[in-house]
Amino acid sequence: MKIKTKVIYYEKEKNPDTNYTTVIVDILRASSSITTLLSNGALWVKPVMSIEEAFNIKEKSPDVLLAGEKNALKIEGFDFGNSPTEFLNNDFKGKKIVLTTTNGTKAVLNHRDNFEVLIGCFLNINALIDYLKIRENILLVCSGSHGEFSLEDFLFCGRLIVNLTKNCNVESMDDASKLALKAAQLLGNELLPYAKESMHAKVLVSKGFEKDVDFCLKENVFSTIPILTDEGFKTLN
Ligand code: MLT
């Protein structure tokens, strides 16, 4: 197995790694939201680039629900924000969700042509590791924040890589993956509390979303693995 970690994702960058099984990581909060929605019964979650695109879809298909955020807050006219704890407390059985967020959904769409596109977060980490350990090439994409490094995404990659290296033969890792691995090893049990020190965690807490931050930093709440299909993300397992 080969592992690569994109520590910062730039919207306009080229994507040379199309043959990699790709894991999109946006711990706070898009990847945690998608995983929670599907675990809570949603039929699919379709990521879209813009608020306008979301409204256009709703006009043609009024049964879809719109979810997403701008500056972490719910978008006017949308049914939901981008809050995993809000998704946890509503029944989404059979519901079709259109989601747009500042960084996470864009990172997904920029990699949509890759071999397989999965969602990773602490909430589904062990299920994901079980799936990834038999894959060949793995690309971890940290969605970051407006092209800036995000501590929580990087630490998640580290924890994932620690477990992958225990479970399978890793032939090569790029430098970012090595650093993520080392950071996770050094932090050990302090990793999740340290992730709460991140810039975006602090922004979310200041906007009243501490419950989301705490929830997104829980491991193995779900065994759902979201995979991208033509309709949107569906559950793989
Ligand atoms: C994003 O995609 O940028 C995030 O998920 C933002 C958030 O909801 O906190």
Side-chain angles (χ1 to χ4, degrees):
M1 174 193 292
K2 288 186 190 150
I3 308 179
K4 276 183 80 168
T5 302
K6 253 189 213 179
V7 273
I8 307 174
Y9 150 77
Y10 292 100
E11 214 176 303
K12 293 192 173 53
E13 74 187 2
K14 288 212 172 69
N15 170 24
D17 304 309
T18 46
N19 61 335
Y20 279 67
T21 290
T22 299
V23 180
I24 306 293
V25 181
D26 184 2
I27 299 302
L28 300 174
R29 298 167 285 177
S31 58
S32 305
S33 288
I34 294 168
T35 305
T36 305
L37 279 163
L38 290 173
S39 304
N40 213 358
L43 195 58
W44 48 251
V45 181
K46 186 179 181 64
V48 297
M49 253 332 174
S50 66
I51 297 173
E52 196 189 0
E53 198 182 339
F55 279 127
N56 286 341
I57 296 175
K58 177 103 179 171
E59 208 175 290
K60 288 186 197 122
S61 315
D63 62 323
V64 301
L65 295 172
L66 302 186
E69 56 70 40
K70 195 167 178 205
N71 299 322
L73 300 175
K74 184 177 157 184
I75 297 157
E76 218 185 304
F78 272 38
D79 302 287
F80 293 95
N82 180 37
S83 162
T85 56
E86 190 185 10
F87 297 140
L88 193 64
N89 293 323
N90 283 279
D91 185 10
F92 287 93
K93 204 168 181 331
K95 299 277 194 258
K96 301 166 188 173
I97 317 293
V98 171
L99 180 73
T100 186
T101 70
T102 311
N103 304 285
T105 50
K106 293 187 178 77
V108 169
L109 292 167
N110 204 45
H111 295 84
R112 71 183 135 200
D113 296 328
N114 285 22
F115 167 60
E116 324 176 82
V117 180
L118 310 169
I119 288 290
C121 56
F122 288 109
L123 300 172
N124 71 351
I125 187 165
N126 277 1
L128 188 65
I129 288 162
D130 267 352
Y131 183 75
L132 292 178
K133 67 186 182 196
I134 51 161
R135 314 318 287 175
E136 294 234 329
N137 300 319
I138 296 172
L139 173 68
L140 305 173
V141 178
C142 298
S143 300
S145 192
H146 303 279
E148 303 275 337
F149 177 85
S150 273
L151 181 63
E152 67 280 11
D153 294 347
F154 187 67
L155 293 179
F156 167 81
C157 294
R159 180 142 290 174
L160 187 97
I161 296 167
V162 167
N163 286 301
L164 274 176
T165 51
K166 281 185 194 151
N167 278 283
C168 56
N169 183 25
V170 177
E171 223 175 278
S172 76
M173 265 189 249
D174 69 348
D175 286 357
S177 303
K178 285 181 188 155
L179 184 61
L181 168 72
K182 185 55 92 184
Q185 284 169 334
L186 291 173
L187 282 163
N189 292 338
E190 290 307 307
L191 186 142
L192 290 168
Y194 191 53
K196 202 175 169 180
E197 299 292 311
S198 76
M199 300 260 293
H200 195 53
K202 289 188 188 305
V203 168
L204 287 172
V205 170
S206 75
K207 293 189 175 185
F209 295 113
E210 186 163 11
K211 277 194 185 140
D212 273 350
V213 174
D214 290 338
F215 181 65
C216 294
L217 298 179
K218 280 192 195 336
E219 286 184 300
N220 301 316
V221 175
F222 305 120
S223 56
T224 311
I225 303 171
I227 184 162
L228 192 61
T229 70
D230 289 343
E231 282 174 301
F233 281 102
K234 292 189 167 176
T235 42
L236 177 79
N237 38 348

